[in-house]
């Protein structure tokens, strides 16, 4: 059975076609610059590629291109869309309305749209993706939505509330929602499998370190806390995002620089984090290379981020009164052995020793703590698309 996974952003549309018989990727691709131009890059698993620049004013034209790439291009992988059994969509914000993946109907789409106020850059685009997909595949084809926030809906109020006047929670839903939930769910399920223990018996800390970064505490099999908050800006510093800062610093900058709330938000989301500190790049590879060459602010950015990660691990260990397993994932977590070794050394108080030979891996699953370490530290490549495909299969099999 083939399942199509869609991740629609405001100007991009990523997709994968997955064969659920062996969970392999048949083809994947991306449409970029939707609304301002249009380019599709499509790749079949046997290496054949299709690339075209063509006008994509909306997601509908992008979808038409995807359909062409899948069924007719030189890198086609199917003869007709009938071969696809169902479609799973990534949706960023499920608010308190969704605590699990669901089948799409008109009401679900309307709810996804209504949550656009909480995720203005993402939910409206996600909803457009769903509508364009219905138009391309027909209304009979089952579609599902899988939410980035759903995994975090198990947090208790003491973890998700901000200490602001309660009325703002009631009026506007101001609270912690978290993000990257699909990734945290995948790697925490997997680490329990690797340890051969039921997830509900483990205390797990999962660190998703990519362009966006978040850390989640998982106890009794469910998320009990996570670093991202009302939006994916909270927590610790990321590629271009600041993470948590004293709000007074922001009001002070706003006054001094005559910046509007939107400008402050843009500054925190797009010009801060590792980019803002280094003045060089948001890309971890660039920063590692520059720091090795003596770039002082690149080194500072790397040191700051690692320090904040180590603090979160400490905080979540305290919050759960212990930890059995720590997982590192995301582009940085999967590919940066130096960072991983330093993290292990800086949390050696937990009884962790880095297995330096095992830690030399990149993009592969590995246990990087020694066998006699009290806490198991793992690198587990995340696979959000597979979770979406699995959830979709489960929902259409019900
Ligand atoms: P996103 O959050 O956009 O999905 P990724 O999970 O792909 O991002 O992570 C992107 C980050 O991973 C970038 O900072 C990139 O530099 C980093 N990364 C990818 N490969 C490597 C590598 N070999 N060494 C260090 N960092 C890497």
């Amino acid at each position: 059975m083939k399942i199509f996974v869609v991740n629609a952003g405001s100007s991009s549309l990523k997709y994968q076609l997955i064969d659920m018989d062996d969970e392999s990727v048949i083809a994947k691709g991306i449409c970029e610059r939707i609304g301002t131009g249009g380019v599709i890059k499509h790749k079949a698993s046997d290496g054949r590629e299709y690339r075209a620049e063509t006008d994509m004013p909306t997601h509908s034209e992008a979808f038409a291109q995807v359909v062409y790439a899948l069924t007719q291009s030189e890198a086609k992988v199917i003869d007709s869309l009938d071969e696809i059994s169902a479609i799973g969509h990534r949706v960023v914000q499920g608010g308190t309305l969704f605590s699990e993946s669901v089948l799409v109907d008109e009401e679900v789409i309307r709810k996804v749209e209504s949550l656009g106020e909480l995720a203005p850059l993402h939910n409206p685009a996600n909803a457009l993706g769903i509508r364009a997909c219905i138009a391309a595949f027909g209304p009979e084809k089952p579609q599902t939505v899988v939410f980035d926030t759903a995994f975090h809906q198990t947090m208790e109020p003491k973890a998700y509330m901000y200490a602001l006047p309660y009325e703002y929670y009631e009026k506007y839903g101001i609270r912690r929602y978290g993000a990257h939930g699909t990734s945290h769910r995948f790697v925490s399920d997997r680490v329990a499998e690797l340890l051969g223990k039921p997830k509900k018996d483990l205390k797990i800390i999962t660190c998703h370190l990519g362009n966006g970064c978040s850390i989640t505490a998982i106890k009794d099999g469910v998320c009990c806390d996570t670093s991202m908050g009302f939006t994916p800006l909270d927590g610790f510093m990321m590629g271009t995002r600041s993470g948590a800062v004293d709000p007074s610093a922001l009001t002070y900058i706003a006054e001094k620089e005559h910046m509007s709330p939107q400008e402050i938000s843009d500054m925190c989301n797009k010009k801060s984090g590792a980019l803002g500190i280094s003045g060089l790049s948001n890309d971890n590879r660039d920063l590692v290379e520059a720091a090795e060459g003596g770039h002082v602010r690149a080194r500072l950015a790397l040191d700051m981020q690692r320090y904040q990660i180590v603090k979160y691990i400490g905080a979540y260990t305290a919050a759960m009164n212990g930890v059995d397993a720590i997982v590192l994932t995301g582009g940085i977590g999967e590919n940066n052995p130096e960072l991983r070794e330093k993290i292990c050394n800086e949390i050696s108080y937990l009884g962790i020793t880095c297995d330096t030979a095992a830690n030399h891996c990149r993009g592969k699953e590995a246990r990087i703590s020694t066998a006699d370490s009290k806490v198991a530290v793992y690198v587990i490549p995340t696979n959000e698309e597979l979770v979406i495909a699995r959830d979709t299969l489960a929902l259409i099999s019900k």
Side-chain angles (χ1 to χ4, degrees), residues 60-248:
S60 299
E61 290 80 14
F63 253 107
Q65 274 301 309
V66 174
V67 172
Y68 178 84
L70 289 167
T71 59
Q72 291 181 58
S73 73
E74 56 262 36
K76 68 173 261 191
V77 285
I78 48 176
D79 291 321
S80 125
L81 291 185
D82 294 343
E83 291 177 45
I84 296 175
S85 302
I87 300 130
H89 295 267
R90 175 191 182 201
V91 173
V92 165
Q93 181 56 267
T96 51
L97 299 178
F98 298 101
S99 55
E100 57 188 11
S101 307
V102 292
L103 279 165
V104 170
D105 60 23
E106 187 51 37
E107 194 193 338
V108 166
I109 304 178
R110 271 205 292 272
K111 283 182 179 165
V112 168
E113 285 167 340
S114 76
L115 290 162
E117 287 210 5
L118 296 179
L121 293 179
H122 296 106
N123 270 46
N126 298 152
L128 280 176
I130 299 170
R131 292 202 186 278
C133 228
I134 292 174
F137 285 81
E140 300 310 319
K141 190 74 74 182
Q143 309 215 25
T144 67
V145 277
V146 178
F147 298 91
D148 274 12
T149 50
F151 182 60
H152 304 303
Q153 276 297 303
T154 47
M155 280 187 289
E156 291 180 29
K158 70 180 180 193
Y160 70 64
M161 288 300 291
Y162 290 118
L164 295 168
Y166 198 81
E167 65 186 277
Y168 298 120
Y169 167 66
E170 293 177 312
K171 260 162 79 178
Y172 306 122
I174 306 290
R175 51 158 283 178
R176 182 181 304 285
Y177 293 102
H180 289 146
T182 315
S183 173
H184 291 292
R185 174 151 69 100
F186 178 79
V187 299
S188 56
D189 283 349
R190 182 67 188 142
V191 80
E193 218 172 274
L194 289 166
L195 290 170
K197 291 192 178 149
K199 189 165 156 183
K200 65 174 180 35
D201 295 342
L202 291 167
K203 294 170 182 170
I204 306 169
I205 296 174
T206 49
C207 309
H208 180 108
L209 311 175
N211 273 319
C213 299
S214 64
I215 298 187
T216 293
I218 298 150
K219 193 180 169 192
D220 301 325
V222 296
C223 166
C224 60
D225 207 345
T226 193
S227 61
M228 280 181 166
F230 178 61
T231 71
L233 182 57
D234 201 357
F236 56 101
M237 67 183 268
M238 319 177 199
T240 62
R241 287 175 243 169
S242 60
V245 290
D246 181 348
S248 300

Side-chain angles (χ1 to χ4, degrees), residues 1-6 16-24 86-89 101-103 144-146 182-191 193 199 365 380-398:
M1 178 188 292
K2 298 182 183 72
I3 289 185
F4 192 57
V5 176
V6 178
Q16 282 193 10
L17 182 61
I18 300 181
D19 184 346
M20 294 312 286
D21 295 340
D22 58 1
E23 296 192 333
S24 64
I87 300 130
H89 295 267
S101 307
V102 292
L103 279 165
T144 67
V145 277
V146 178
T182 315
S183 173
H184 291 292
R185 174 151 69 100
F186 178 79
V187 299
S188 56
D189 283 349
R190 182 67 188 142
V191 80
E193 218 172 274
K199 189 165 156 183
E365 210 167 77
I380 300 180
T382 195
N383 195 338
E384 288 154 293
E385 290 78 14
L386 184 56
V387 177
I388 296 172
R390 283 178 181 168
D391 278 11
T392 303
L393 178 61
L395 280 165
I396 62 170
S397 308
K398 268 186 185 170

